[in-house]
Amino acid sequence: MPEKTKAVSANQWCFPEDAVSFLAQLKKNNNREWFTAHKSEFEDVIQRPAKELCSHMRELLEKLTGAAHASKIFRVHRDVRFSKDKSPYKPHLHILFRTVDEPQDGLGHPAWFFGLETERLAVGCGVFTFEKEALTTFRERVGGDDGAVLEKTVSRLIAQGFRLRDPELKKVPSGFPNDHPRADLLLRKGLTVWGDHDGGSAAALAPTLIPSTIALYRKMNPVVDWLNA
C-alpha cells in the first residue's frame, strides 16, 4: 500500500462489509470443501485486510508506547491433533502485537491483542501465562506496594467496562495469607485485560475502527506499563 494512501486512510480504514458475514458462514460450514471453494473470498475480506490493519496498528502502537512493534496474524487453520473438536478452521481473526526488541528471556512480556469474532470485536493486553521466574516476580510485586498501584488501575478499568480472565488458582499461593487484600490478583498465573468495542463485531466495519481501537489500548496502557516496570 502506498505510504500516502495509508496516511490518508488511517482514520477511515475498516474491514470490508462482508468480513463478519464470512466468519459467520465459516462457522456454519467449517469444513475443507467449503473453505477451499471460498478461499479467495477469505483472502479478500479477512487475510489481506488483516495485513493492512497490522500496518496501521504497528505505527500507532509505536506512537502510543514509544516502542516499535511487530505483529502476528494467527493462522485460520486449527491444530486438531489433541482436540476433540475436529473442525479444521477458526471462525475468527486473532492478531497479536508485541515490541520488536522484546528480550528473549522467557519472562512473557506483555502484548496487545485484537480479536474479531462473529458476535464481538474484543481487544486486550497483558500476559497469558507467566514463566516461572516472572510469576514469582509478579506475586512479589502484587504483595508489595506495587500491587496497590495495579489493583487501583485494574479496578478503574473494570469500572469502565473492561474485564479480566478468570483466575487459574482456587487458593492463594503459599507465602501469602488467604485474606490478602489483593488475593484475586495472586490467584492468577497470568494477567490480561479485555475490552469490547461498542456495537459488537459490526465495529470492524465502521470507519472509526482504528481510532476506537487505539482509544481502548490507551486506556489499558497503564497495565502494560506496570507489567513492563
Side-chain angles (χ1 to χ4, degrees), residues 124-143:
C125 70
V127 179
F128 278 106
T129 304
F130 293 116
E131 297 293 339
K132 183 177 180 180
E133 181 181 345
L135 180 58
T136 299
T137 301
F138 172 75
R139 289 172 175 171
E140 290 174 349
R141 293 183 66 201
V142 167

Side-chain angles (χ1 to χ4, degrees), residues 50-167:
K51 293 178 180 178
E52 294 175 5
L53 174 66
C54 287
S55 179
H56 291 307
M57 294 303 301
R58 288 194 301 267
E59 179 179 334
L60 292 171
L61 281 171
E62 182 172 0
K63 291 180 179 179
L64 175 64
T65 66
H69 279 68
S71 55
K72 176 182 178 180
I73 302 172
F74 288 88
R75 298 174 69 247
V76 68
H77 299 84
R78 295 184 62 250
D79 184 351
V80 300
R81 291 175 298 172
F82 309 106
S83 174
K84 293 182 179 179
D85 179 5
K86 299 301 180 182
S87 55
Y89 304 105
K90 305 169 187 173
H92 55 248
L93 170 66
H94 285 178
I95 302 174
L96 177 146
F97 302 94
R98 64 170 70 250
T99 54
V100 171
D101 59 351
E102 176 180 309
Q104 300 300 309
D105 53 15
L107 295 183
H109 295 267
W112 304 91
F113 314 112
F114 179 96
L116 174 59
E117 304 172 2
T118 56
E119 301 296 331
R120 69 179 180 181
L121 175 57
V123 296
C125 70
V127 179
F128 278 106
T129 304
F130 293 116
E131 297 293 339
K132 183 177 180 180
E133 181 181 345
L135 180 58
T136 299
T137 301
F138 172 75
R139 289 172 175 171
E140 290 174 349
R141 293 183 66 201
V142 167
D145 293 340
D146 274 358
V149 175
L150 179 62
E151 181 184 39
K152 183 178 180 179
T153 299
V154 169
S155 296
R156 182 175 65 251
L157 288 170
I158 291 175
Q160 294 174 356
F162 292 85
R163 62 184 183 279
L164 302 183
R165 295 175 69 194
D166 291 336

Side-chain angles (χ1 to χ4, degrees), residues 1 3 11 19 24 70 104 108 134 138 149 169 174 205 209 212 223-224:
M1 175 182 293
E3 185 64 27
N11 290 330
Q104 300 300 309
F138 172 75
V149 175
L169 301 178
S174 60
L205 314 180
L209 168 62
S212 58
V223 174
V224 172

